[in-house]
Amino acid sequence: MKIAVIGSYKIPNKVVEKLQSYGLTPILVDHEEKITSLKGEKRDFVLNFISNSAQKSERVDYVLYLNKPTTILTEHNYAAKGSQCPIVFLLDYSSESPDYITQMALKAALKYSEEKQKVYYLARLMKTASAGYEELYREARKAGVVFIKYQQVEFEELANNCVKLTAWDDYGEICFPQAYLIIAQANLPNNDAETIAKKLRLKVDDQGILSEEKFYLYPVLTNRKGVFVLDFQGDSLEWSRCEQQLEQIWAEICKDINSPSNEEHVLIDAEKCAFCYTCYRVCPHGAMTPDLDKAAMKNLTEACSGCGLCAAFCPANAIKLANGCDKNSIAENCTIFSCKNSAQTALEEAGIKNYVPLACGSELSENIILEALRKTKKVLIAVCVDEACRHFEGKNHAGNVVKNVQAMLKAAGMDENGVALIELSPAMGAGVSKFLKPSI
């Protein structure tokens, strides 16, 4: 099996050798600017790229993008050499700092301490598992770096590029009336990552970062099945984490080979298709491609996750889910339409069985709600919270549909509050039952 390995820098030999140890054949493209497109689906991708000034196509089974994250170590000015103001490195501030940031911060702390600066290193977690970290900690302590494992931290900016910082550990409060703050922050927007995301049709979050906000994808999966991402700075101290993630990728490939996907996909009526590319543009999984022979769009079943967003947007009504929304399940008093993922889990935990399942909030349309309102006075749409939406656009699409229907009802002089949207996570079942059951 072939796996295309795309990097924004020279691809490390260790990565290549690890992939080869699994029996994979790596096809190396060492700069994403050479990529022109990725077509097809898992086990049948066609990667188009430029090699030696010539256009080249390679058929591959899987794709791995080596992302070199953009990072910073400070939001404030570094201290001038010889300053009496201490330097405070702050890790794990908004979330756990990854290994390569820990390494970067330790090296910087050691450097400033060797320049006779007073340096404090604050972290919630003192990582020592990866190879080489013990030696770095030892050198930093020897150079005078003070390590503090904090539980909580607060700071406010002062007028001279310094901050007033207070931290709390197991023993009490530690106050720095004036300090230069260096925040070890990872995964900033990366222009290279955004470039490759467009060419590979990968989703990025609002910050331009690949996959981070979706817990079910992080750290190696993407919105396209068979396309993986690996954050790697290329340093030897990071290798143990990188190796673990390569193991995760291999496990996903083995699962794909041994347990073929049975996810639902959509059906396209080629005679109705307007060949307008609307479905191609809106599909969150890159599962639509043009069939030039039929002058119609084609669904890539191995890439499709059956979310229904393409069907909701199709202007010719040429797309439908094989097992779409069962409109015969609409109740007379209150109808709940629920996403089959997190929202459905919460409803079932709450003991609520009377709902109409949707593949995703993406499947919802104004017509579905209006048809339901012919039989019932109230319609509730239950969707996943953003972080849990496995189809990226479900909550936002359902929210827009609900707003459109509410506007129609208001314009017709009807009660717009008869339609509502609720976001549910799997853990919200107990709370949901308290306010939903009385109205069902």
Side-chain angles (χ1 to χ4, degrees):
M1 290 183 295
K2 294 181 180 180
I3 182 168
V5 185
I6 303 165
S8 56
Y9 55 97
K10 183 174 174 56
I11 297 165
N13 289 333
K14 280 186 175 182
V15 173
V16 175
E17 291 167 2
K18 189 67 177 177
L19 293 172
Q20 288 173 334
S21 73
Y22 300 136
L24 298 171
T25 302
I27 306 298
L28 307 184
V29 183
D30 61 8
H31 205 291
E32 69 275 355
E33 285 184 1
K34 295 179 180 179
I35 302 297
T36 54
S37 67
L38 177 68
K39 298 180 179 180
E41 54 195 327
K42 61 181 181 176
R43 301 192 300 274
D44 192 23
F45 284 120
V46 176
L47 181 69
N48 298 303
F49 58 100
I50 296 171
S51 178
N52 297 323
S53 301
Q55 183 69 44
K56 187 175 180 181
S57 293
E58 187 79 43
R59 191 170 293 276
V60 297
D61 298 281
Y62 301 97
V63 176
L64 171 60
Y65 172 55
L66 290 184
N67 179 40
K68 191 171 185 178
T70 303
T71 60
I72 58 171
L73 278 181
T74 184
E75 294 175 350
H76 302 273
N77 291 338
Y78 285 135
K81 189 172 182 179
S83 169
Q84 297 303 307
C85 191
I87 301 173
V88 176
F89 283 82
L90 180 60
L91 284 85
D92 310 319
Y93 177 55
S94 57
S95 60
E96 180 182 342
S97 299
D99 285 357
Y100 67 89
I101 286 294
T102 300
Q103 173 203 342
M104 192 183 297
L106 281 169
K107 287 182 176 180
L110 175 60
K111 171 180 175 290
Y112 281 112
S113 191
E114 287 175 340
E115 292 176 354
K116 308 304 179 185
Q117 302 277 10
K118 188 62 178 175
V119 179
Y120 294 85
Y121 182 101
L122 276 63
R124 295 182 191 271
L125 304 168
M126 295 295 178
K127 298 180 180 178
T128 59
S130 298
Y133 277 91
E134 283 285 4
E135 182 62 28
L136 263 179
Y137 277 110
R138 190 162 33 251
E139 289 183 23
R141 288 192 186 96
K142 187 176 179 180
V145 177
V146 178
F147 289 88
I148 299 171
K149 187 177 180 181
Y150 72 90
Q151 295 176 344
Q152 184 181 346
V153 66
E154 294 177 357
F155 62 87
E156 59 179 281
E157 294 190 30
L158 304 176
N160 56 352
N161 289 323
C162 292
V163 300
K164 177 183 178 183
L165 186 145
T166 306
W168 290 265
D169 63 8
D170 292 334
Y171 306 101
E173 180 181 296
I174 307 158
C175 185
F176 299 89
Q178 184 170 301
Y180 287 98
L181 177 62
I182 300 178
I183 300 177
Q185 183 176 343
N187 283 355
L188 297 177
N190 182 333
N191 290 335
D192 289 340
E194 289 188 69
T195 298
I196 197 67
K198 290 177 182 177
K199 293 178 178 180
L200 300 184
R201 297 178 67 191
L202 301 181
K203 287 282 188 182
V204 295
D205 62 21
D206 292 340
Q207 301 298 316
I209 300 168
L210 284 164
S211 303
E212 187 177 64
E213 288 187 350
K214 303 295 184 182
F215 68 87
Y216 57 89
L217 294 178
Y218 188 78
V220 298
L221 303 180
T222 69
N223 58 295
R224 290 190 76 176
K225 297 175 186 178
V227 180
F228 306 101
V229 62
L230 177 65
D231 288 339
F232 186 40
Q233 291 280 1
D235 195 284
S236 59
L237 288 179
E238 253 196 300
W239 176 243
S240 61
R241 178 190 61 82
C242 177
E243 195 170 25
Q244 289 174 359
Q245 293 185 4
L246 285 169
E247 291 284 354
Q248 286 179 267
I249 291 169
W250 175 237
E252 288 292 334
I253 291 174
C254 289
K255 184 170 68 174
D256 179 49
I257 295 168
N258 298 322
S259 304
S261 173
N262 59 356
E263 287 189 285
E264 186 177 0
H265 56 273
V266 299
L267 304 174
I268 301 175
D269 187 334
E271 293 185 1
K272 286 185 179 179
C273 179
F275 210 28
C276 62
Y277 278 72
T278 298
C279 57
Y280 179 90
R281 289 191 292 270
V282 303
C283 178
H285 301 290
M288 290 295 188
T289 190
D291 185 336
L292 300 180
D293 292 334
K294 294 183 178 180
M297 298 307 292
K298 175 184 176 183
N299 179 240
L300 299 170
T301 57
E302 288 292 337
C304 185
S305 290
C307 68
L309 188 64
C310 55
F313 273 92
C314 179
N317 198 27
I319 306 173
K320 67 177 182 177
L321 283 164
N323 296 298
C325 170
D326 181 7
K327 298 170 185 175
N328 295 322
S329 300
I330 296 171
E332 292 184 2
N333 295 324
C334 174
T335 290
I336 300 176
F337 289 97
S338 173
C339 168
K340 289 181 180 178
N341 295 306
S342 300
Q344 181 171 311
T345 302
L347 291 178
E348 291 186 350
E349 186 179 319
I352 298 169
K353 304 295 184 183
N354 184 23
Y355 61 84
V356 180
L358 297 170
C360 172
S362 300
E363 186 185 354
L364 193 68
S365 69
E366 289 83 355
N367 286 338
I368 289 176
I369 297 178
L370 292 172
E371 189 168 333
L373 286 172
R374 295 171 60 185
K375 298 181 180 181
T376 181
K377 293 181 180 180
K378 295 180 181 178
V379 173
L380 178 67
I381 313 299
V383 296
C384 303
V385 296
D386 253 348
E387 295 81 1
C389 180
R390 295 180 180 273
H391 307 295
F392 296 85
E393 308 295 340
K395 190 210 78 171
N396 293 333
H397 172 73
N400 290 333
V401 169
V402 168
K403 287 178 183 176
N404 291 342
V405 173
Q406 287 174 334
M408 293 177 192
L409 295 175
K410 186 176 181 180
M414 300 171 69
D415 182 13
E416 61 187 290
N417 296 317
V419 181
L421 180 92
I422 183 172
E423 297 176 42
L424 298 177
S425 74
M428 293 172 67
V432 168
S433 61
K434 292 180 182 179
F435 68 90
L436 277 190
K437 279 191 174 179
S439 63
I440 296 175

